[in-house]
């Protein structure tokens, strides 16, 4: 996978990494989908609530943003089993580039060499027709409780 951003895609804005972290390339969803089809590791850093509300990415590895360093530590006990090397292509998806950009930048700073994140995040991935699951069904509202009778049993007095 080529780690150069699409020149027609703005690379600045809210997704700029904080401090002196390297800026991770921002790619369109179609390019990201092709990279994943070619073997890139798809990493979903959205919250559990975000995945439940909007749908999931089949085949993606879910990593909490606050666990990125541990999960991408190749020698660590919590490392992702799918990681093979720091040269492995990685595509990071969040709800928007503002969430995925800092994660991708941290991976580059940790020595990963082929990391990109998706312009438009999960909504762009879905809009591009790439694989997603349906959102989790909302919980069924509880049926109103039947008033208790004078003996404590359900039913009217």
């Amino acid at each position: 996978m080529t780690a150069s951003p699409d020149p027609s895609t703005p690379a600045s804005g809210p997704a700029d990494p904080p401090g002196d972290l390297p800026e991770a390339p921002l790619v369109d969803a179609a390019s990201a989908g092709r990279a994943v089809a070619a073997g890139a590791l798809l990493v979903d850093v959205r919250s559990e609530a975000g995945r439940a509300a909007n749908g999931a990415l089949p085949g993606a590895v879910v990593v909490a943003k606050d666990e990125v360093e541990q999960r991408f530590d190749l020698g660590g006990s919590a490392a992702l089993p799918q990681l093979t090397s720091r040269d492995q292509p990685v595509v990071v998806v969040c709800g928007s580039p503002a969430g995925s950009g800092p994660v991708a930048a941290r991976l580059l700073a940790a020595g990963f060499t082929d990391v990109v994140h998706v312009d438009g995040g999960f909504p762009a991935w879905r809009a591009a027709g790439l694989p997603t699951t349906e959102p989790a069904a909302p919980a069924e509202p509880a049926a109103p409780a039947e008033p208790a009778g004078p003996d404590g049993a359900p039913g009217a007095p």
Side-chain angles (χ1 to χ4, degrees), residues 11-150:
S12 61
D16 287 343
D20 58 352
L21 292 177
E23 185 172 338
L26 188 62
V27 299
D28 63 76
S31 296
R34 286 190 297 275
V36 170
L41 178 62
L42 179 60
V43 179
D44 188 345
V45 295
R46 293 176 300 142
S47 67
E48 183 177 340
R51 292 188 312 275
N54 298 298
L57 296 167
V61 175
V62 175
V63 177
K65 291 177 191 172
D66 62 349
E67 295 178 358
V68 168
E69 283 76 12
Q70 295 84 13
R71 304 294 286 163
F72 282 83
D73 177 4
L74 287 170
S77 60
L80 295 169
Q82 300 87 339
L83 282 179
T84 57
S85 75
R86 284 191 167 78
D87 296 326
Q88 180 175 1
V90 177
V91 173
V92 182
V93 177
C94 194
S96 75
S100 59
V103 170
R106 287 172 21 215
L107 293 176
L108 288 171
F112 287 85
T113 62
D114 196 355
V115 180
V116 299
H117 65 118
V118 178
D119 189 10
F122 179 83
W125 181 277
R126 181 176 44 214
L130 295 166
T132 63
T133 64
E134 291 297 317
E140 291 291 324
E146 200 174 319

